[in-house]
């Protein structure tokens, strides 16, 4: 059985993925936040902005699913440390530890400034919608470099929104169910011919903005479609926003921070990325945007 490292394992995506992959792989989990490993899992607390930590967690694994980092738009310091330095450390530590395959959770926000009217595929030019989006583009560029220069096998998943059900109108177009996430990740781990691939991490949503033919070519057959939730979701939809509603990235295109779904715990937390976005500036920005 392969040993797979999941970084950022205590976040939302990591939590769904652990449940879905249980029993299929030996899971090595890492996060800067604490985590209680389940049976068959091993946990190593690590701050990936520290190269020694990145070296320690990547040693001896068959593949890495790199989810760790600052997961929304927010202050530059947090993004710099987790998504630029941290991401570099994970790629570089993987290379030094001779881990061939890396799956990177990039984001729809790497291309969030495409209009909602446009269907985009894996070949479009980048159009990040904020600092967070730029950091994801950085990770994509690293992936390209490490594939071309060092022969690593790199699978970039531009993830939409992972949730048991879509939470609003925008997410009807980018929803990624946990079981579809597990299917795509399994392809990224198992496919024999990965060199450098970009795919969209989304379900088979009727309202999708993506031509995900590259994922399909690699065998992805998503099981879920957000449409069954559409009526309920749209009935609850709040007021729109003149800019956010034009672009695929939504609020990320016009706010400076969004509330961080995975802040560091108050006590015992190391100095790190997630802390800053949990504070009031993020909430204020979102409140202001809602008022507009
Ligand atoms: C992302 O990239 C974030 O990691 C996630 O927290 C959501 O905000 C998602 O995008 C989204 O666009 O809904």
């Amino acid at each position: 059985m392969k040993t797979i490292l999941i970084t950022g394992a205590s976040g939302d995506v990591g939590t769904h993925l652990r449940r879905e992959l249980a029993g299929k792989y030996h899971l090595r989990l890492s996060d800067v936040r604490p985590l209680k490993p389940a049976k068959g899992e091993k946990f190593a607390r690590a701050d990936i902005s520290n190269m020694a930590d990145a070296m320690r967690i990547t040693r001896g694994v068959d593949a890495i699913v790199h989810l760790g980092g600052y997961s929304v738009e927010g202050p530059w310091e947090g993004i710099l440390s987790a998504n630029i330095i941290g991401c570099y450390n994970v790629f570089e530590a993987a290379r030094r530890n001779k881990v061939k395959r890396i799956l990177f959770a990039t984001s729809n926000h790497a291309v969030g400034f495409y209009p909602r009217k446009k269907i985009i595929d894996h070949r479009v030019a980048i159009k990040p919608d904020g600092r967070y989006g730029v950091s994801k583009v950085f990770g994509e560029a690293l992936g390209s470099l490490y594939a071309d220069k060092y022969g690593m096998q790199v699978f970039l998943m531009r993830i939409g929104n992972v949730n048991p059900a879509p939470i609003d109108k925008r997410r009807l177009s980018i929803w990624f169910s946990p079981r579809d996430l597990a299917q795509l990740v399994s392809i990224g781990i198992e496919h024999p011919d990965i060199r450098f691939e970009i795919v969209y991490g989304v379900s088979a949503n009727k309202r999708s903005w993506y031509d995900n033919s590259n994922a399909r070519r690699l065998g992805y057959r998503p099981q879920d479609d957000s449409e069954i939730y559409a009526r309920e979701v749209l009935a609850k939809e709040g007021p729109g926003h003149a800019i956010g509603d034009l672009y695929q990235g939504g609020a990320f295109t016009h706010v400076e921070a969004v509330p961080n779904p995975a802040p560091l715990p108050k006590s015992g937390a190391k100095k790190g990325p997630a802390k800053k976005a949990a504070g009031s500036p993020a909430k204020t920005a979102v409140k202001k945007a809602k008022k507009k």
Side-chain angles (χ1 to χ4, degrees):
M1 201 188 271
K2 287 182 176 141
T3 299
I4 306 299
L5 166 67
I6 303 178
T7 67
S10 43
D12 272 355
V13 179
T15 304
H16 288 301
L17 193 58
R18 288 167 57 197
R19 190 189 59 241
E20 298 287 330
L21 296 185
K24 210 170 160 190
Y25 300 109
H26 293 300
L27 294 181
R28 184 185 298 173
L29 312 173
S30 83
D31 205 295
V32 69
R33 295 157 292 181
L35 177 158
K36 227 175 154 192
K39 208 169 146 240
E41 297 178 335
K42 287 207 170 107
F43 175 59
R45 194 159 177 177
D47 177 355
I48 55 165
S49 65
N50 175 333
M51 181 55 106
D53 280 14
M55 285 296 288
R56 174 169 52 84
I57 58 174
T58 53
R59 200 163 293 135
V61 299
D62 295 296
I64 298 168
V65 182
H66 179 37
L67 308 175
Y70 200 105
S71 69
V72 286
E73 182 61 337
W76 174 240
E77 302 74 41
I79 289 173
L80 173 67
S81 142
N83 296 9
I84 304 288
I85 299 172
C87 188
Y88 171 78
N89 287 348
V90 170
F91 271 93
E92 177 57 15
R95 182 187 74 81
R96 292 189 204 167
N97 278 326
K98 303 196 171 20
V99 182
K100 272 233 141 280
R101 188 163 294 206
I102 184 157
L103 288 68
F104 172 54
T106 172
S107 167
N108 68 92
H109 297 288
V111 286
F113 254 119
Y114 276 99
R116 294 186 184 193
K117 281 194 229 135
K118 194 171 163 70
I119 301 291
I120 58 173
D121 70 8
H122 57 289
R123 295 186 200 94
V124 293
I126 50 155
K127 262 193 183 295
D129 56 24
R131 291 174 288 277
Y132 168 71
V134 167
S135 75
K136 290 298 178 181
V137 167
F138 174 78
E140 294 189 1
L142 271 181
S144 176
L145 173 70
Y146 276 70
D148 289 341
K149 193 163 182 178
Y150 305 115
M152 272 172 66
Q153 300 161 351
V154 178
F155 191 68
L156 302 179
M157 301 173 291
R158 286 187 181 151
I159 293 183
N161 187 255
V162 179
N163 250 310
I167 53 174
D168 59 18
K169 187 176 173 205
R170 187 175 79 85
R171 270 61 171 245
L172 288 172
S173 299
I174 65 167
W175 181 52
F176 197 15
S177 73
R179 67 172 168 171
D180 287 341
L181 161 76
Q183 188 194 146
L184 192 64
V185 166
S186 302
I187 290 169
I189 294 171
E190 300 295 344
H191 198 288
D193 297 320
I194 303 293
R195 182 161 161 65
F196 175 78
E197 300 294 347
I198 299 178
V199 295
Y200 288 92
V202 290
S203 288
N205 305 317
K206 184 175 163 223
R207 296 167 191 246
S208 179
W209 297 317
Y210 310 111
D211 165 356
N212 209 6
S213 48
N214 200 35
R216 192 175 169 82
R217 184 183 63 81
L218 296 165
Y220 180 51
R221 300 288 180 273
Q223 304 295 298
D224 294 306
D225 178 350
S226 62
E227 203 54 25
I228 57 164
Y229 301 97
R231 189 201 285 252
E232 195 188 328
V233 167
L234 294 174
K236 286 193 226 138
E237 184 74 2
H241 186 279
I243 298 168
D245 287 0
L246 289 180
Y247 298 106
Q248 298 181 359
F252 284 55
T253 61
H254 61 87
V255 300
E256 294 304 325
V258 263
N260 191 338
L264 287 173
K266 282 211 170 71
S267 62
K270 285 200 220 171
K271 181 175 132 308
K275 213 173 178 177
K276 292 202 172 84
S280 53
K283 286 191 185 136
T284 316
V286 168
K287 271 187 206 150
K288 269 192 204 156
K290 278 187 182 154
K291 271 189 206 151
K292 277 186 196 167

